[in-house]
Amino acid sequence: MTAVNERLDAPANIAPIPSKLPVWQRGYARRLVVLDFAGVILSVSLAQWLRFGVLPGTVGSYKYLYTAVSAAIAVSWMLALSINRSRSPRIIGSGAEEYRRVWMATLVVFGGVAIVSMLFKLEIARGYLMIALPTGLVILLLLRRAARRTVSRARQKHGKCITRVLVVGSASAVRDLTKSLAREPSSEYEVVGACIPGPIVRTKIDVPGVGSIPTFGDESNVVGAVTATNSHAVAVTATERLDGRGIRDLSWELEKLDIDLLVSPGVIDVAGPRLMMRPVCGLPLIHVEKPQYNGAKKFQKRLFDVVFSGLALLFGLPVLICVAVAVKLTSKGPVFYRSERIGLDGEPFEMIKFRTMVDGADAMVEKLIEQNESKGGVLFKIRNDPRVTPIGTFLRKYSIDELPQFINVLMRDMSVVGPRPPLAGEVKTYDDHAKRRLLVRPGITGLWQVSGRSDLSWDDSVRLDLFYVENWSMIADLQIAVKTVRAMIAHSGAY
């Protein structure tokens, strides 16, 4: 241990401090109990009032019995939420798993009520249940969302509600994990130190765009590093020097300090639905499903595209007409702007948009090339582009200029959700990595649209598009569609 102490970048006289669950997690879990209780009571009370015209507690004939029914459902509901660990520190404040557990607990309760009612012929009013179930589910999910947004704002604005993490692994693995966690401002985890296996002595690891991560010896000094950094969790990344037995021994040591152990397999940009844990001969193996582009999922996506685009064009027809007239009357040139883009499998197509720039704007690019603000140099973006017309500024601000692209969707050139439609000049610069963007149809919106739009660098744009291509699903498409509406209203990154 002498060699380790010589490399330990922390005062040697720090006394061991038993690390416990972060204070914010305990407080957050207690607040969720109060919110869940309020949501459950509100939903059963509302159901009883709307169905019978009385609130729980009212005395009189059979209506009094429904007070007992409401109380039983409320108690069962709260128990189901607890049994289903919907307030577990492992899931609260982040991820869709929290919502899923609330959903499952609610279905279990009302499924149980239906079964008991049928078996014992209790004749519980169906109208009461039909009000309580959806109302309670919506209220609980909205309250959880409000709580999560509070935590997210605390992380982004005040640096609170953070779980401190010590990373064990090679320098490159530490950099990758740190950059991935820092990429999302509302991330729960913050890397505060690292233990680097191997003979190389270093006091810190420089992470581009993040800063320096102090090091605390090698894998044999994890417990001391946890104490020095007051970490709440240890993340073990790819390392040859810490084998299966070493990780098991480490978990035993961390258990005494009530420290969480996280194991990062080193697989990046793979969504949860593609990962499945498979215990084989006592070994926890992670199975990574292949990306799916054909079959039933392809049919579902096309059906969604046709229905969504048809409804958007039908109900948006008055807006389309008004915008077309405004564009025509405020500047010379055609109403629509047609641009050649590259679609599925590298096939070119004409993308249709409302014209937001002066006629002949493409010919002016060479004169403005020095003002390009896009990071990476592949795209051409200027925040205050002199070619944009006054009406075009408004249309771009709220993405109204992109409404005609629903015609492209019906023509099978595009999809409602997908990678950003690239120019032919961009595709020529693609390496084999970036060419995977062409495996699916480009979209009117996508991860790039809800993650910064024009504010994104070229590398971030490619990364988000590839993540979508590798992990797309109908649930993800619906989530992106909802987030797009919020991004349009906030007009963030639009210029």
Side-chain angles (χ1 to χ4, degrees):
M1 290 296 292
T2 305
V4 172
N5 288 333
E6 290 177 354
R7 291 194 291 173
L8 182 62
D9 187 32
N13 58 353
I14 292 183
I17 303 175
S19 298
K20 298 294 183 182
L21 195 67
V23 175
W24 75 268
Q25 287 188 357
R26 297 197 297 271
Y28 185 79
R30 287 194 294 267
R31 287 192 291 272
L32 285 184
V33 174
V34 176
L35 291 177
D36 287 345
F37 181 77
V40 167
I41 295 300
L42 178 60
S43 62
V44 296
S45 299
L46 187 62
Q48 186 166 335
W49 178 63
L50 291 177
R51 178 63 180 83
F52 302 109
V54 294
L55 292 172
T58 303
V59 179
S61 67
Y62 70 94
K63 297 178 182 179
Y64 179 70
L65 296 177
Y66 269 92
T67 296
V69 172
S70 296
I73 290 178
V75 172
S76 301
W77 209 338
M78 290 297 295
L79 285 175
L81 289 169
S82 296
I83 294 172
N84 214 41
R85 296 180 60 81
S86 66
R87 295 180 287 268
S88 168
R90 304 292 179 268
I91 64 165
I92 57 175
S94 61
E97 179 64 16
E98 184 178 2
Y99 294 152
R100 190 191 70 82
R101 293 193 185 187
V102 172
W103 166 268
M104 291 303 299
T106 302
L107 291 186
V108 166
V109 169
F110 282 88
V113 170
I115 293 174
V116 170
S117 176
M118 180 184 66
L119 292 177
F120 296 95
K121 299 181 180 180
L122 298 180
E123 301 296 335
I124 298 178
R126 286 173 292 182
Y128 170 84
L129 297 177
M130 290 177 64
I131 295 173
L133 171 59
T135 301
L137 188 59
V138 169
I139 291 175
L140 287 176
L141 292 180
L142 287 177
L143 289 175
R144 289 298 179 102
R145 178 169 177 77
R148 285 183 58 183
R149 288 179 65 87
T150 301
V151 170
S152 180
R153 285 195 295 268
R155 289 171 179 165
Q156 295 183 55
K157 295 182 178 180
H158 309 292
K160 298 180 179 179
C161 301
I162 296 295
T163 299
R164 298 167 62 85
V165 179
L166 175 79
V167 183
V168 181
S170 64
S172 59
V174 171
R175 291 191 187 94
D176 289 342
L177 181 60
T178 303
K179 285 191 293 185
S180 296
L181 294 178
R183 191 176 290 139
E184 177 57 53
S186 60
S187 172
E188 172 187 349
Y189 298 102
E190 178 185 9
V191 178
V192 295
C195 288
I196 311 298
I200 300 178
V201 179
R202 62 176 77 206
T203 60
K204 63 180 181 179
I205 299 175
D206 293 323
V207 182
V210 178
S212 297
I213 304 299
T215 60
F216 296 83
D218 59 16
E219 74 278 8
S220 64
N221 194 55
V222 172
V223 174
V226 165
T227 302
T229 57
N230 193 26
S231 298
H232 305 118
V234 172
V236 178
T237 64
T239 171
E240 297 179 355
R241 294 174 62 88
L242 196 60
D243 56 13
R245 182 174 180 176
I247 294 179
R248 183 193 63 185
D249 293 342
L250 176 61
S251 69
W252 291 348
E253 292 185 77
L254 296 179
E255 182 182 358
K256 300 174 184 177
L257 298 177
D258 197 19
I259 297 294
D260 290 336
L261 176 63
L262 313 174
V263 179
S264 172
V267 181
I268 61 173
D269 289 339
V270 177
R274 286 182 58 203
L275 298 177
M276 182 176 68
M277 183 69 73
R278 299 180 61 182
V280 180
C281 300
L283 297 174
L285 302 181
I286 296 178
H287 180 77
V288 182
E289 294 285 355
K290 300 180 182 67
Q292 299 293 325
Y293 307 114
N294 298 304
K297 292 182 68 176
K298 182 178 180 180
F299 173 77
Q300 293 171 4
K301 188 171 180 65
R302 182 57 189 164
L303 181 63
F304 171 75
D305 286 344
V306 171
V307 173
F308 192 96
S309 299
L311 293 175
L313 291 173
L314 178 62
F315 291 103
L317 186 59
V319 176
L320 292 170
I321 294 174
C322 291
V323 172
V325 172
V327 172
K328 191 65 178 179
L329 295 179
T330 55
S331 62
K332 296 180 180 180
V335 171
F336 296 109
Y337 170 74
R338 299 174 183 272
S339 173
E340 184 183 80
R341 299 298 174 102
I342 305 300
L344 180 66
D345 297 328
E347 293 295 325
F349 71 95
E350 274 196 341
M351 188 180 70
I352 309 170
K353 299 175 64 175
F354 281 120
R355 182 173 56 83
T356 59
M357 293 186 176
V358 296
D359 194 22
D362 289 342
M364 303 169 62
V365 172
E366 293 297 330
K367 298 179 181 179
L368 302 171
I369 194 68
E370 293 183 357
Q371 300 180 40
N372 186 14
E373 299 176 9
S374 175
K375 299 176 182 178
V378 179
L379 305 178
F380 182 78
K381 290 286 185 179
I382 303 177
R383 190 173 297 274
N384 296 309
D385 199 320
R387 301 172 298 166
V388 179
T389 63
I391 187 67
T393 301
F394 175 80
L395 296 180
R396 286 179 165 225
K397 184 176 183 180
Y398 295 100
S399 300
I400 301 174
D401 60 316
E402 299 176 1
L403 289 178
Q405 291 176 28
F406 286 113
I407 299 174
N408 287 117
V409 176
L410 295 179
M411 294 172 62
R412 301 180 67 90
D413 294 326
M414 298 179 64
S415 181
V416 174
V417 182
R420 186 184 59 80
L423 294 165
E426 297 173 33
V427 176
K428 291 179 181 178
T429 67
Y430 283 3
D431 54 17
D432 292 337
H433 187 65
K435 282 181 180 178
R436 292 186 65 85
R437 300 168 81 184
L438 306 178
L439 291 176
V440 299
R441 289 185 175 88
I444 297 176
T445 185
L447 281 176
W448 51 275
Q449 181 85 341
V450 299
S451 304
R453 303 163 80 180
S454 296
D455 290 334
L456 291 173
S457 67
W458 166 251
D459 290 339
D460 285 338
S461 177
V462 172
R463 178 181 58 80
L464 291 173
D465 281 347
L466 289 177
F467 181 87
Y468 175 81
V469 171
E470 295 286 327
N471 303 285
W472 75 270
S473 66
M474 285 308 305
I475 297 298
D477 280 5
L478 292 173
Q479 291 176 335
I480 291 173
V482 172
K483 290 181 179 180
T484 298
V485 176
R486 292 209 309 261
M488 290 171 61
I489 295 174
H491 52 82
S492 58
Y495 53 86

